[in-house]
Amino acid sequence: MSIEAIIDTFGRTYYVIRPTITKATDGQFSRTYSDSAASAKGFYQPSGTSEDVFQGRQNTRTTGTVYFKGLIDIRIDDELRETNLIGSTSPVLRVVGAVNPGNIGSVSIS
């Protein structure tokens, strides 16, 4: 089964939420998110989990890959959510890397 067929069959709509980083007068940076302007159908394939205790509660992080069809504007630090409402209980996928297989050959190393 091709990736496109998997996306069409099992994919979900993900909203791309991009952060705005501002610097306060005291020098601290703050990250704020606004409602999504872009959405795309993609398939999330988890690859592993880790568990830790943070601030007295158990946390689980799941790493994985999200596949999309076509060219989507997704950048490192964006968030992918299943709803475009900020503050919802939708799982949040934080983008830590993005690869466009069509552009791999055009990367230049100097």
Side-chain angles (χ1 to χ4, degrees):
M1 185 177 256
S2 70
I3 291 176
E4 287 187 354
I6 292 172
I7 293 170
D8 290 338
T9 305
F10 303 107
R12 294 182 175 182
T13 300
Y14 288 100
Y15 294 90
V16 180
I17 299 176
R18 185 153 295 145
T20 302
I21 300 172
T22 56
K23 186 176 180 181
T25 56
D26 62 356
Q28 290 187 343
F29 291 96
S30 67
R31 175 183 287 138
T32 57
Y33 294 90
S34 60
D35 288 344
S36 169
S39 67
K41 190 172 184 181
F43 174 72
Y44 173 64
Q45 182 177 18
S47 61
T49 60
S50 64
E51 296 183 7
D52 61 349
V53 177
F54 182 71
Q55 293 183 347
R57 64 182 177 134
Q58 188 73 28
N59 288 301
T60 302
R61 289 180 183 238
T62 303
T63 58
T65 303
V66 181
Y67 297 96
F68 293 103
K69 293 191 303 186
L71 186 60
I72 310 294
D73 182 22
I74 296 178
R75 302 176 191 167
I76 293 174
D77 237 12
D78 285 354
E79 289 186 355
L80 302 175
R81 299 182 187 197
E82 294 177 11
T83 178
N84 62 349
L85 301 174
I86 302 298
S88 70
T89 58
S90 168
V92 176
L93 304 175
R94 172 84 38 92
V95 177
V96 295
V99 175
N100 181 351
N103 288 338
I104 289 178
S106 65
V107 175
S108 62
I109 300 173
S110 46

